[in-house]
Amino acid sequence: MHRYDKFDFHLAETRQHLETGPIVLVSSCWQGETNIMTMGWHMMMQFSPALFGCYIWEGNHSYEMIRRSRECVINIPTAANVDAVVAIGNSFGRSVDKFEACGLTAARASRVQAPLIEECYANFECRLADDSQIDTYGLFIWEVVKGHVATDVREPATLHYIGQGRFRVAGRVIDMSELFKPQNL
């Protein structure tokens, strides 16, 4: 096993190394209006039922739409969607139809009003499970109520934001399942 020489790291750049999951596109719907926001701050919180937590800034146009509707869809793009991911992240919901501007297709969800994004390889319909942390921390806790995952994508090239407009692309899987044996340590 390799040991590394290290240097003191600028703390504001910590996200480059600790960001937990792929960039997602959060679609919402409230009173007939739809919107999409780009998000990188999220986490799985529980597996059964599947609970997903995410931070949404109160100044974001989607914040009130999502808070009022109490539902959303978490859509997972791949590297092929990077232009749309950046364009959505750099635009404001009140001034532009992001589906149209980015050439994305809204599809009807089965359990929520928010639309699925057809160009994303996975979509997870969510309902708000716990709103107790929203006012203090902007933390929304969702229950995933329906999932849709492409049948032909085995190792998706997901985007992981590392700051200053840069992304890492994940995709290669290292399968260690044969050696996985949980132990009490």
Side-chain angles (χ1 to χ4, degrees), residues 71-147:
E71 60 185 35
C72 69
V73 176
I74 305 299
N75 304 277
I76 307 179
T78 63
N81 308 107
V82 70
D83 291 335
V85 166
V86 172
I88 290 165
N90 288 335
S91 61
F92 300 99
R94 289 179 184 91
S95 61
V96 65
D97 177 339
K98 295 178 190 176
F99 281 96
E100 184 179 324
C102 295
L104 297 174
T105 309
R108 186 171 181 83
S110 60
R111 307 274 310 270
V112 300
Q113 293 299 308
L116 309 176
I117 299 173
E118 286 192 352
E119 290 77 10
C120 290
Y121 88 92
N123 320 91
F124 298 98
E125 299 179 39
C126 299
R127 287 206 179 106
L128 193 59
D130 183 341
D131 63 2
S132 66
Q133 302 299 307
I134 295 172
D135 289 338
T136 305
Y137 300 108
L139 179 65
F140 289 71
I141 300 172
W142 303 101
E143 180 177 353
V144 179
V145 295
K146 179 75 175 175

Side-chain angles (χ1 to χ4, degrees), residues 10-172:
H10 191 276
L11 298 180
E13 302 301 320
T14 300
R15 74 182 300 167
Q16 292 181 35
H17 302 281
L18 293 179
E19 193 67 54
T20 58
I23 290 296
V24 299
L25 297 176
V26 182
S27 54
S28 55
C29 181
W30 176 245
Q31 296 181 335
E33 178 186 359
T34 60
N35 195 35
I36 312 170
M37 66 175 281
T38 299
M39 174 187 290
W41 296 20
H42 53 78
M43 63 187 155
M44 284 303 300
M45 298 180 72
Q46 181 174 299
F47 301 111
S48 185
L51 295 182
F52 176 86
C54 67
Y55 167 77
I56 302 175
W57 176 53
E58 67 184 19
N60 189 300
H61 179 59
S62 291
Y63 178 90
E64 280 302 321
M65 292 177 66
I66 290 170
R67 187 172 189 165
R68 291 175 187 212
S69 69
R70 302 178 64 84
E71 60 185 35
C72 69
V73 176
I74 305 299
N75 304 277
I76 307 179
T78 63
N81 308 107
V82 70
D83 291 335
V85 166
V86 172
I88 290 165
N90 288 335
S91 61
F92 300 99
R94 289 179 184 91
S95 61
V96 65
D97 177 339
K98 295 178 190 176
F99 281 96
E100 184 179 324
C102 295
L104 297 174
T105 309
R108 186 171 181 83
S110 60
R111 307 274 310 270
V112 300
Q113 293 299 308
L116 309 176
I117 299 173
E118 286 192 352
E119 290 77 10
C120 290
Y121 88 92
N123 320 91
F124 298 98
E125 299 179 39
C126 299
R127 287 206 179 106
L128 193 59
D130 183 341
D131 63 2
S132 66
Q133 302 299 307
I134 295 172
D135 289 338
T136 305
Y137 300 108
L139 179 65
F140 289 71
I141 300 172
W142 303 101
E143 180 177 353
V144 179
V145 295
K146 179 75 175 175
H148 313 266
V149 178
T151 57
D152 60 343
V153 177
R154 298 283 183 249
E155 295 182 358
T158 54
L159 296 166
H160 300 258
Y161 190 65
I162 59 172
Q164 285 108 30
R166 298 176 305 139
F167 298 85
R168 279 200 176 94
V169 177
R172 194 182 100 199

